[in-house]
Amino acid sequence: MKKMLAAAVSRVLSRVAQKPASRVLVASCNYSNDAMFEIKKCDLYRLEEGPPVTTVLTREDGLKYYRMMQTIRRMELKADQLYKQKFIRGFCHLCDGQEACCVGLEAGINPTDHVITSYRAHGLCYTRGLSVRSILAELTGRRGGCAKGKGGSMHMYVKNFYGGNGIVGAQGQIAEAFNMAALWKLPCVFICENNLYGMGTAAERAAASTDYYKRGHFIPGLRVDGMDVLCVREATKFAADYCRSEKGPIVMELQTYRYHGHSMSDPGISYRTRQEIQNVRSKSDPIMLLKDRMVNSKLATIEEFKEIDVEVRKEIDDAAHFAITDPEPPLEELGHHIYCDNEPFEVRGSSQWIKFKSLS
């Protein structure tokens, strides 16, 4: 009896000791503070030199980039789920697979720099400072959304970020108008995210030349590995420094890949195979590449990344719950923020119970 009791106590104590022991092991690891990595050389156009081919990554920055990319990935997958559950309606363009582009871009510029983008904007919204909660609530059309639930997937805004724009290429004209209004004092980097497909058509079938970084003709350009967050970061720093030194504008093509179709109405497998998508996931996934680099260079451990993953999932789940329980904006606020004085705005014909008012 005593032996059985002793054995039972021993088993209980061993279970209790297991988890703290692993935490002590993680805490006692000798991390490197930073490490140097080789990055892919950029293709250049009308430039004598380009971004460096080596860069230093600190442990702190690496963990930050990983958390940001993982958050964007999980946020987009949650948006996919909410769309299929019909909490999200209308257009919805997801950027999972392209996380290195928006995280690397933000890492290479200043918070005071201005960013204008196209309709695939959720990742940039997050890196520019919007919370996951405000993004998902905007997608579901709730009052807690970043545009009060009236902008949706393609029209989100935050300080120094002038939204996604629903018309293809519209952000270029808006950027130029903004630059002219600022008396041409702003450096201008034109960024093309080339995910190899124009909607459902492969780039080589749609364009006579797929060297998009040369499309500026007299404007210099560079083509960047958009699946490597470090490569994007260094190329962005180079492009921003080029413009800030008053050398003129520059074109930067980020070669990347989207795992979803063009939009939620596109299954994404009628013009490409599942095997193609899986090959990119297994060989070039931006989150996997960063994690492998950091683990192999002893900048972090697998256990740390697992803890971040758990925290990110909880953040996304909490944000999604808010996005489906927060109230919708009241009907009387439908026309707010259209006119400067928020004058009542009623849509004719939308309901026979609404009193109509002339806007003339």
Side-chain angles (χ1 to χ4, degrees):
M1 185 69 177
K2 290 182 178 179
K3 289 183 178 179
M4 292 175 62
L5 181 60
V9 171
S10 176
R11 285 196 298 271
V12 171
L13 291 176
S14 66
R15 288 173 188 161
V16 172
Q18 278 178 358
K19 193 168 184 179
S22 66
R23 290 177 181 268
V24 171
L25 178 62
V26 171
S28 63
C29 287
N30 292 321
Y31 297 114
S32 300
N33 290 325
D34 55 55
M36 179 172 286
F37 298 102
E38 292 185 357
I39 54 178
K40 185 178 179 180
K41 183 178 180 181
C42 297
D43 296 321
L44 307 180
Y45 174 68
R46 299 179 72 90
L47 290 168
E48 295 182 0
E49 59 180 2
V53 293
T54 61
T55 187
V56 173
L57 175 66
T58 65
R59 167 179 157 80
E60 180 182 3
D61 282 346
L63 290 175
K64 180 175 73 173
Y65 299 160
Y66 178 85
R67 182 182 291 273
M68 293 177 74
M69 289 198 291
Q70 191 67 278
T71 299
I72 295 169
R73 175 72 56 85
R74 292 290 171 184
M75 178 178 69
E76 295 294 68
L77 294 179
K78 181 61 70 174
D80 170 276
Q81 179 183 347
L82 293 174
Y83 192 95
K84 290 172 180 175
Q85 293 173 341
K86 298 186 178 181
F87 285 109
I88 297 175
R89 301 299 186 110
F91 294 103
C92 186
H93 304 81
L94 304 180
C95 68
D96 49 317
Q98 301 184 188
E99 296 86 358
C101 295
C102 37
V103 174
L105 172 66
E106 188 63 31
I109 61 176
N110 302 323
T112 54
D113 288 331
H114 305 270
V115 177
I116 303 173
T117 189
S118 63
Y119 45 80
R120 203 177 304 279
H122 305 163
L124 280 170
C125 291
Y126 176 73
T127 58
R128 285 270 82 187
L130 287 175
S131 67
V132 177
R133 173 180 285 211
S134 69
I135 294 171
L136 289 182
E138 187 59 38
L139 291 175
T140 57
R142 307 304 171 112
R143 281 185 0 189
C146 58
K148 310 297 183 184
K150 294 180 285 186
S153 174
M154 298 185 288
H155 304 286
M156 300 186 187
Y157 308 91
V158 71
K159 186 176 181 180
N160 297 329
F161 177 71
Y162 308 99
N165 293 275
I167 304 301
V168 176
Q171 69 273 20
Q173 285 71 39
I174 296 173
E176 284 308 308
F178 188 91
N179 216 352
M180 290 175 67
L183 300 180
W184 299 96
K185 292 181 180 179
L186 297 175
C188 195
V189 181
F190 297 98
I191 299 175
C192 163
E193 287 186 26
N194 174 17
N195 56 33
L196 308 185
Y197 290 92
M199 297 185 70
T201 304
E204 61 269 16
R205 294 181 57 219
S209 171
T210 56
D211 292 333
Y212 299 112
Y213 68 111
K214 298 179 180 179
R215 290 291 187 92
H217 301 292
F218 296 104
I219 301 175
L222 62 159
R223 181 160 55 193
V224 184
D225 181 2
M227 303 299 278
D228 182 352
V229 66
L230 300 184
C231 197
V232 176
R233 182 187 70 177
E234 295 307 310
T236 303
K237 287 181 179 179
F238 171 85
D241 289 343
Y242 180 93
C243 294
R244 294 189 213 280
S245 62
E246 299 183 355
K247 295 179 181 177
I250 192 169
V251 176
M252 187 163 70
E253 175 189 345
L254 304 181
Q255 284 199 323
T256 184
Y257 197 85
R258 54 170 164 77
Y259 295 150
H260 267 83
H262 170 72
S263 69
M264 284 302 298
S265 62
D266 170 20
I269 52 172
S270 60
Y271 49 85
R272 58 181 184 176
T273 64
R274 295 183 187 273
Q275 186 61 45
E276 176 186 311
I277 302 170
Q278 186 55 41
N279 285 341
V280 176
R281 284 184 181 273
S282 62
K283 297 177 183 179
S284 304
D285 184 80
I287 299 175
M288 176 194 70
L289 291 177
L290 177 63
K291 181 167 70 172
D292 289 349
R293 273 176 168 167
M294 293 187 68
V295 170
N296 294 336
S297 301
K298 297 187 177 180
L299 289 175
T301 65
I302 292 293
E303 288 75 15
E304 281 186 289
F305 289 121
K306 288 181 179 178
E307 288 185 8
I308 292 175
D309 292 346
V310 170
E311 293 168 1
V312 167
R313 286 193 187 98
K314 184 180 185 308
E315 179 187 3
I316 300 300
D317 288 341
D318 291 346
H321 178 73
F322 173 79
I324 62 176
T325 57
D326 191 50
E328 296 179 352
L331 187 60
E332 58 269 19
E333 292 184 9
L334 181 64
H336 285 193
H337 310 110
I338 294 178
Y339 300 108
C340 62
D341 57 0
N342 286 335
E343 183 177 324
F345 179 88
E346 295 169 355
V347 180
R348 291 185 299 172
S350 61
S351 171
Q352 59 178 327
W353 306 112
I354 296 177
K355 293 181 180 179
F356 305 130
K357 178 179 178 181
S358 173
L359 297 178
S360 59

